[in-house]
Structures are given as structure tokens and as C-alpha cells.
């Protein structure tokens, strides 16, 4: 279970030195510090449950989500990539649970294509496969033409081409133009060309 510092202040309100009590809980392994002012009781919990609480608002996306949906072959063990907006620079946190990276996307597209999952008493947000792909392409240097985009998708990112064409093309066509980025304009063109 995730606790903020304020939650622990309430929980340990009977103690005369609450900060000392929290330090003892951490020392004895009953609490694991996730970030400043954020603690977890289960040292073995998946970082996907913590990513949105460490830095937010945010949702899991980019390589993490692409791997979850089997669009890329790489496993992303203990590496959690998330999308944010209006933060102006990428952030990275490393702790007991893994490496957490946060990168901006345009604020206009931030609320679109996000799924809420509830598991094991935790909740987390993750991009749809289409949104994760758009976020990833937005974060990369622009391809110059369709052949470069295809090389980027299927050679560099190693996206499974069959899985790519199983994506919801209508959703991709709706999302891509909203990013106002070269890679996403080319993605729309690729989809139109192959209809």
C-alpha cells in the first residue's frame, strides 16, 4: 500500500516523534521510500503501480507500454516510462522499485487514449497501444520521408509489422494530427497509403 508523508502523520499520530517512527519503519523494512514523502509497504510490488504517484500527472507510455502490448520485442524489466505535460524537461527517478522516466507530450493530447487499470488494490494509468506509439514517435527525431519512417518503425524500434497493422487505424488517424509533429504526419500518410 502506498502512503504519503501526510498519510503516515495520521497513521502514527500517537507517536511523539513521527519522523523518527517513519525512519524506524524504513530501517526495519516495513516501509520502503519510493520518493521524497512517498512510501510503500510492499517491497516486491511492481513499479507500474507507483509510477503515477512518483511524478504526475502522468501515465505509463512509450517503451514500457509498447512492450506490454508486445509491439516491441524488448522486455522493459524494472524500467517505467511515462508521459507528462507542461514539465518542460525530462525527469528520471531511480529507487528500489526501478527506473522511472517522465517525458512531456503536448498538453492537447495528454488526456486522450489513457486506460485506467485496477489490480491488487492499486490503480494505474497506461496509454492505449495507439497512444503509446504516437507518444514514442513524438519523442524521436523526425524522419524525412515515408521510407525513413518505416525504417524507424520496423528496423530501429523493431515494431512487429503484423502487430502494427492490427492497431486501430482510426484511432491512430485521430490522434496523430493532434501532435503537430513530422513523424506523426508521416504516420497518417503511411496509414492512408495502405488503406
Amino acid at each position: 500500500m502506498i502512503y504519503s508523508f501526510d498519510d503516515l502523520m495520521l497513521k502514527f499520530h500517537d507517536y511523539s516523534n513521527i519522523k523518527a517512527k517513519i525512519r524506524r519503519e524504513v530501517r526495519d523494512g516495513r516501509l520502503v521510500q519510493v520518493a521524497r514523502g512517498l512510501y510503500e509497504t510492499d517491497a516486491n510490488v511492481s513499479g507500474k503501480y507507483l509510477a503515477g504517484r512518483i511524478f504526475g500527472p502522468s501515465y505509463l507510455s512509450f517503451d514500457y507500454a509498447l512492450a506490454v502490448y508486445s509491439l516491441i520485442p524488448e522486455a522493459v524489466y524494472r524500467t517505467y516510462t511515462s508521459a507528462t505535460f507542461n514539465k518542460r524537461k525530462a525527469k528520471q527517478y531511480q529507487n528500489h522499485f526501478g527506473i522511472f522516466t517522465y517525458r512531456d507530450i503536448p498538453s492537447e493530447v495528454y488526456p486522450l487514449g489513457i486506460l485506467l487499470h485496477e489490480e491488487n488494490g492499486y490503480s494505474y494509468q497506461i496509454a492505449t497501444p495507439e497512444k503509446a506509439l504516437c507518444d514514442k514517435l513524438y519523442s524521436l527525431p523526425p524522419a524525412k520521408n515515408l521510407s525513413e519512417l518505416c525504417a524507424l518503425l520496423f528496423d530501429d524500434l523493431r515494431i512487429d509489422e503484423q502487430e502494427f497493422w492490427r492497431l486501430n487505424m482510426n484511432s491512430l488517424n485521430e490522434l496523430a494530427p493532434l501532435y503537430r509533429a513530422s513523424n506523426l504526419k508521416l504516420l497518417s500518410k503511411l496509414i492512408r497509403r495502405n488503406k
Side-chain angles (χ1 to χ4, degrees), residues 16-121:
S16 59
N17 188 338
I18 296 172
K19 288 183 180 180
K21 172 63 175 164
I22 293 170
R23 281 194 299 273
R24 283 194 303 277
E25 293 291 302
V26 170
R27 180 194 68 209
D28 296 341
R30 288 186 291 274
L31 286 177
V32 179
Q33 188 167 11
V34 176
R36 186 175 183 191
L38 192 63
Y39 301 85
E40 170 58 44
T41 56
D42 182 356
N44 298 312
V45 76
S46 171
K48 70 182 177 183
Y49 302 131
L50 307 174
R53 295 287 301 270
I54 292 172
F55 190 70
S58 66
Y59 61 87
L60 292 160
S61 189
F62 305 105
D63 296 16
Y64 179 83
L66 292 173
V68 165
Y69 296 123
S70 301
L71 283 165
I72 59 174
E74 288 78 25
V76 286
Y77 179 70
R78 294 174 48 90
T79 301
Y80 305 92
T81 51
S82 297
T84 60
F85 68 97
N86 290 341
K87 304 296 186 203
R88 304 216 187 338
K89 69 181 210 182
K91 292 269 190 189
Q92 189 172 79
Y93 299 86
Q94 188 166 357
N95 59 33
H96 168 83
F97 301 96
I99 300 169
F100 299 83
T101 305
Y102 301 84
R103 176 176 286 133
D104 265 4
I105 62 164
S107 58
E108 302 81 34
V109 296
Y110 179 86
L112 307 173
I114 303 173
L115 304 172
L116 176 65
H117 289 282
E118 294 189 19
E119 300 171 0
N120 308 317

